[in-house]
Amino acid sequence: MKVFKPWAFQGSLNRKNYFEGWYFKHVSSNMEDVWSFIPGVALSAAYRHAFIQVLNGRTGESHVFEYEVEEFSASGRELNVHIGKSRFTSSEIFLDLKNTSLKISGKIAYTSLEPYPSTLFTPGIMGWYSFVPFMECKHGIVSMQHKLSGGLHVDKDYIDFNKGTGYIEKDWGSSFPESWVWLHCNTFNSSQSSFTFSVAKIPWLGSYFIGFISFLKLEDKFINFSTWSKAKIEKLEYVNNRLDIRIANKEYKLEIEALNNQAGPLKAPKLGSMQRIIKETVDAAISLSLTDKTGKIIFQDKGKRAGMELIEKILDYF
């Protein structure tokens, strides 16, 4: 069943009002460079095409390369996506991108991928919601953290990603939610840590609910904080470019502080059309503090080059 393989192509090119996209983030070992690449396909009634979005985290500059649908292919069994002359797999990406304002070429190899833990009843980060067929958007974590080697030629510069850190996730469905917050960081002082948080307004049976998914992966622990696991959001505030979050489950409480930084525009899907513009930074600073129910500090750390998206209407529900 594809539900147990979120990295694979979930849809088909015969779908209408459908999108599917993978998100590959790369941070250099010295954290001076961070680049994200988003290959995907958008199948709206008005315009069917494939795309590769590019975000330079250091500058906030973004680019979109568009292709005919016929230039897109993807495996329904493994992570293997081809768009134009570029390819994206679980072991490497190979880029050959060129337009009037940007040229990118090269290869980045991946080793020691850490997939999200899967069980029979919780096949991914969405838990049992993974089995619900009519949700407008589904989300999967392909690799919480992995090592990089190789590099990219960006115009006349060479970006070295040897010993850097990578991350892969993906989304598919008809539309992104009306509003949401998304955070991700796996470049903490502790090299074995990875964290993701996402909360959104989710349509449900003619109404909606506010749902969230989150995890904190430590060297010796994996802790889930999600709606489906009965965790709660106790605080969500955004003031002066600072996002403060507190979430809790039966055993732990996690305090998150994220400082927004240089953001760039990206296209997001609505009924398969990539006409919605959002802003994303991959240069946020983040602090975490994990305590148990007695208040004992279990883990504290700070991270750089964190990913962050904030569609502020979600704040109205807290």
Side-chain angles (χ1 to χ4, degrees), residues 25-53:
K25 180 185 174 189
H26 311 81
V27 182
S28 62
S29 62
N30 61 7
M31 297 196 191
E32 289 297 314
D33 291 283
V34 52
W35 288 78
S36 294
F37 300 95
I38 308 171
V41 64
L43 306 174
S44 71
Y47 183 35
R48 297 164 52 84
H49 69 288
F51 60 85
I52 299 174
Q53 297 197 69

CSV table of all heavy atoms in Angstrom, one decimal, residues 25-53:
chain,number,residue,atom,x,y,z
A,25,LYS,N,15.9,19.8,1.6
A,25,LYS,CA,16.6,20.9,2.2
A,25,LYS,C,18.0,20.5,2.4
A,25,LYS,O,18.3,19.4,2.8
A,25,LYS,CB,16.0,21.3,3.5
A,25,LYS,CG,16.6,22.4,4.2
A,25,LYS,CD,16.0,22.7,5.6
A,25,LYS,CE,16.7,23.7,6.4
A,25,LYS,NZ,16.3,23.8,7.8
A,26,HIS,N,19.0,21.4,2.2
A,26,HIS,CA,20.4,21.1,2.3
A,26,HIS,C,21.1,22.3,3.0
A,26,HIS,O,21.0,23.4,2.6
A,26,HIS,CB,21.1,21.0,0.9
A,26,HIS,CG,20.3,20.1,0.0
A,26,HIS,ND1,19.2,20.5,-0.7
A,26,HIS,CD2,20.5,18.8,-0.3
A,26,HIS,CE1,18.7,19.5,-1.5
A,26,HIS,NE2,19.5,18.4,-1.2
A,27,VAL,N,21.8,21.9,4.1
A,27,VAL,CA,22.6,22.9,4.8
A,27,VAL,C,24.1,22.5,4.8
A,27,VAL,O,24.4,21.4,5.1
A,27,VAL,CB,22.1,23.0,6.3
A,27,VAL,CG1,22.9,24.1,7.1
A,27,VAL,CG2,20.6,23.3,6.3
A,28,SER,N,24.9,23.4,4.5
A,28,SER,CA,26.4,23.1,4.4
A,28,SER,C,26.9,22.9,5.8
A,28,SER,O,26.3,23.3,6.8
A,28,SER,CB,27.1,24.3,3.7
A,28,SER,OG,27.0,25.5,4.4
A,29,SER,N,28.1,22.3,5.9
A,29,SER,CA,28.6,21.9,7.2
A,29,SER,C,29.0,23.1,8.0
A,29,SER,O,28.9,23.1,9.3
A,29,SER,CB,29.9,21.0,7.0
A,29,SER,OG,30.9,21.7,6.3
A,30,ASN,N,29.4,24.2,7.4
A,30,ASN,CA,29.6,25.5,8.2
A,30,ASN,C,28.4,26.3,8.3
A,30,ASN,O,28.5,27.4,8.9
A,30,ASN,CB,30.8,26.3,7.5
A,30,ASN,CG,30.4,26.7,6.1
A,30,ASN,OD1,29.3,26.5,5.6
A,30,ASN,ND2,31.4,27.2,5.4
A,31,MET,N,27.3,25.9,7.8
A,31,MET,CA,26.0,26.5,7.9
A,31,MET,C,26.0,27.9,7.2
A,31,MET,O,25.1,28.7,7.4
A,31,MET,CB,25.5,26.7,9.4
A,31,MET,CG,25.3,25.4,10.1
A,31,MET,SD,24.3,25.6,11.6
A,31,MET,CE,24.5,24.0,12.3
A,32,GLU,N,26.9,28.1,6.4
A,32,GLU,CA,26.9,29.4,5.6
A,32,GLU,C,25.9,29.3,4.4
A,32,GLU,O,25.5,30.4,4.0
A,32,GLU,CB,28.3,29.6,5.0
A,32,GLU,CG,29.3,30.0,6.1
A,32,GLU,CD,29.0,31.3,6.8
A,32,GLU,OE1,28.6,32.3,6.1
A,32,GLU,OE2,29.0,31.4,8.0
A,33,ASP,N,25.6,28.1,3.9
A,33,ASP,CA,24.7,28.0,2.8
A,33,ASP,C,23.6,27.1,3.1
A,33,ASP,O,23.8,26.0,3.7
A,33,ASP,CB,25.5,27.5,1.6
A,33,ASP,CG,26.5,28.5,1.0
A,33,ASP,OD1,26.1,29.5,0.4
A,33,ASP,OD2,27.7,28.4,1.3
A,34,VAL,N,22.4,27.4,2.7
A,34,VAL,CA,21.2,26.6,2.8
A,34,VAL,C,20.4,26.7,1.5
A,34,VAL,O,20.0,27.9,1.2
A,34,VAL,CB,20.4,26.9,4.1
A,34,VAL,CG1,20.1,28.3,4.2
A,34,VAL,CG2,19.2,26.0,4.2
A,35,TRP,N,20.1,25.6,0.9
A,35,TRP,CA,19.3,25.6,-0.3
A,35,TRP,C,18.2,24.6,-0.3
A,35,TRP,O,18.5,23.5,0.2
A,35,TRP,CB,20.2,25.3,-1.6
A,35,TRP,CG,21.1,26.5,-1.9
A,35,TRP,CD1,22.3,26.8,-1.3
A,35,TRP,CD2,21.0,27.4,-3.0
A,35,TRP,NE1,22.9,27.9,-1.9
A,35,TRP,CE2,22.1,28.3,-3.0
A,35,TRP,CE3,20.0,27.6,-4.0
A,35,TRP,CZ2,22.2,29.3,-3.9
A,35,TRP,CZ3,20.1,28.6,-4.9
A,35,TRP,CH2,21.2,29.5,-4.8
A,36,SER,N,17.0,25.0,-0.7
A,36,SER,CA,15.9,24.0,-0.7
A,36,SER,C,15.4,23.9,-2.2
A,36,SER,O,15.4,24.9,-2.9
A,36,SER,CB,14.8,24.5,0.2
A,36,SER,OG,15.1,24.5,1.5
A,37,PHE,N,15.1,22.7,-2.6
A,37,PHE,CA,14.6,22.4,-3.9
A,37,PHE,C,13.3,21.6,-3.8
A,37,PHE,O,13.2,20.7,-3.0
A,37,PHE,CB,15.6,21.6,-4.7
A,37,PHE,CG,16.9,22.3,-4.9
A,37,PHE,CD1,18.0,22.0,-4.0
A,37,PHE,CD2,17.1,23.2,-5.8
A,37,PHE,CE1,19.2,22.7,-4.1
A,37,PHE,CE2,18.3,23.9,-6.0
A,37,PHE,CZ,19.4,23.6,-5.1
A,38,ILE,N,12.3,22.1,-4.5
A,38,ILE,CA,10.9,21.5,-4.4
A,38,ILE,C,10.5,21.1,-5.8
A,38,ILE,O,10.0,21.9,-6.6
A,38,ILE,CB,9.9,22.5,-3.9
A,38,ILE,CG1,10.4,23.1,-2.6
A,38,ILE,CG2,8.5,21.8,-3.7
A,38,ILE,CD1,9.6,24.3,-2.0
A,39,PRO,N,10.7,19.8,-6.2
A,39,PRO,CA,10.2,19.3,-7.4
A,39,PRO,C,8.7,18.8,-7.3
A,39,PRO,O,8.3,18.3,-6.2
A,39,PRO,CB,11.1,18.1,-7.7
A,39,PRO,CG,11.5,17.6,-6.4
A,39,PRO,CD,11.5,18.8,-5.5
A,40,GLY,N,7.9,19.0,-8.3
A,40,GLY,CA,6.5,18.5,-8.2
A,40,GLY,C,5.8,18.7,-9.5
A,40,GLY,O,6.3,19.0,-10.5
A,41,VAL,N,4.5,18.3,-9.4
A,41,VAL,CA,3.6,18.4,-10.5
A,41,VAL,C,2.3,19.1,-10.1
A,41,VAL,O,1.8,18.8,-8.9
A,41,VAL,CB,3.3,17.0,-11.1
A,41,VAL,CG1,2.6,16.1,-10.1
A,41,VAL,CG2,2.6,17.1,-12.4
A,42,ALA,N,1.7,19.9,-10.9
A,42,ALA,CA,0.4,20.6,-10.6
A,42,ALA,C,-0.5,20.4,-11.8
A,42,ALA,O,-0.2,20.7,-12.9
A,42,ALA,CB,0.7,22.1,-10.4
A,43,LEU,N,-1.7,19.8,-11.4
A,43,LEU,CA,-2.6,19.4,-12.5
A,43,LEU,C,-4.0,20.1,-12.3
A,43,LEU,O,-5.0,19.5,-12.0
A,43,LEU,CB,-2.8,17.8,-12.4
A,43,LEU,CG,-1.5,17.0,-12.4
A,43,LEU,CD1,-1.8,15.6,-12.2
A,43,LEU,CD2,-0.8,17.2,-13.8
A,44,SER,N,-4.0,21.4,-12.5
A,44,SER,CA,-5.2,22.1,-12.4
A,44,SER,C,-5.9,22.0,-13.8
A,44,SER,O,-5.4,21.6,-14.8
A,44,SER,CB,-5.0,23.6,-12.1
A,44,SER,OG,-4.4,24.3,-13.2
A,45,ALA,N,-7.2,22.4,-13.8
A,45,ALA,CA,-8.0,22.4,-15.0
A,45,ALA,C,-7.4,23.4,-16.0
A,45,ALA,O,-7.5,23.1,-17.2
A,45,ALA,CB,-9.5,22.7,-14.7
A,46,ALA,N,-6.9,24.5,-15.5
A,46,ALA,CA,-6.4,25.5,-16.5
A,46,ALA,C,-5.0,25.3,-16.9
A,46,ALA,O,-4.7,25.8,-18.0
A,46,ALA,CB,-6.6,26.9,-15.8
A,47,TYR,N,-4.2,24.7,-16.1
A,47,TYR,CA,-2.7,24.7,-16.4
A,47,TYR,C,-2.1,23.4,-15.8
A,47,TYR,O,-2.0,23.3,-14.6
A,47,TYR,CB,-2.1,25.9,-16.0
A,47,TYR,CG,-0.6,26.0,-16.3
A,47,TYR,CD1,-0.1,25.5,-17.5
A,47,TYR,CD2,0.3,26.7,-15.4
A,47,TYR,CE1,1.3,25.7,-17.8
A,47,TYR,CE2,1.7,26.8,-15.8
A,47,TYR,CZ,2.1,26.3,-17.0
A,47,TYR,OH,3.5,26.4,-17.3
A,48,ARG,N,-1.7,22.5,-16.6
A,48,ARG,CA,-1.0,21.3,-16.1
A,48,ARG,C,0.5,21.4,-16.4
A,48,ARG,O,0.9,21.6,-17.6
A,48,ARG,CB,-1.6,20.1,-16.8
A,48,ARG,CG,-3.1,19.8,-16.5
A,48,ARG,CD,-3.7,18.9,-17.5
A,48,ARG,NE,-3.0,17.6,-17.7
A,48,ARG,CZ,-3.1,16.6,-16.9
A,48,ARG,NH1,-4.0,16.6,-15.9
A,48,ARG,NH2,-2.4,15.5,-17.0
A,49,HIS,N,1.3,21.3,-15.4
A,49,HIS,CA,2.7,21.4,-15.6
A,49,HIS,C,3.5,20.8,-14.4
A,49,HIS,O,2.9,20.5,-13.4
A,49,HIS,CB,3.1,22.9,-15.7
A,49,HIS,CG,3.0,23.7,-14.5
A,49,HIS,ND1,1.8,24.0,-13.9
A,49,HIS,CD2,3.9,24.2,-13.6
A,49,HIS,CE1,2.0,24.7,-12.8
A,49,HIS,NE2,3.3,24.8,-12.6
A,50,ALA,N,4.8,20.6,-14.7
A,50,ALA,CA,5.7,20.2,-13.6
A,50,ALA,C,6.6,21.4,-13.3
A,50,ALA,O,6.6,22.4,-14.0
A,50,ALA,CB,6.6,19.0,-14.1
A,51,PHE,N,7.2,21.3,-12.1
A,51,PHE,CA,8.0,22.4,-11.7
A,51,PHE,C,9.1,22.0,-10.8
A,51,PHE,O,9.1,20.9,-10.2
A,51,PHE,CB,7.1,23.4,-10.9
A,51,PHE,CG,6.4,22.9,-9.7
A,51,PHE,CD1,7.1,22.8,-8.5
A,51,PHE,CD2,5.1,22.3,-9.8
A,51,PHE,CE1,6.4,22.3,-7.4
A,51,PHE,CE2,4.5,21.8,-8.7
A,51,PHE,CZ,5.2,21.8,-7.5
A,52,ILE,N,10.1,22.9,-10.7
A,52,ILE,CA,11.2,22.8,-9.6
A,52,ILE,C,11.3,24.2,-9.0
A,52,ILE,O,11.7,25.1,-9.7
A,52,ILE,CB,12.5,22.3,-10.2
A,52,ILE,CG1,12.4,20.9,-10.8
A,52,ILE,CG2,13.6,22.3,-9.1
A,52,ILE,CD1,13.6,20.4,-11.5
A,53,GLN,N,11.0,24.3,-7.8
A,53,GLN,CA,11.2,25.6,-7.1
A,53,GLN,C,12.5,25.6,-6.3
A,53,GLN,O,12.9,24.5,-5.8
A,53,GLN,CB,10.0,25.9,-6.1
A,53,GLN,CG,8.7,26.0,-6.7
A,53,GLN,CD,7.7,26.7,-5.8
A,53,GLN,OE1,7.7,27.9,-5.5
A,53,GLN,NE2,6.7,25.9,-5.4
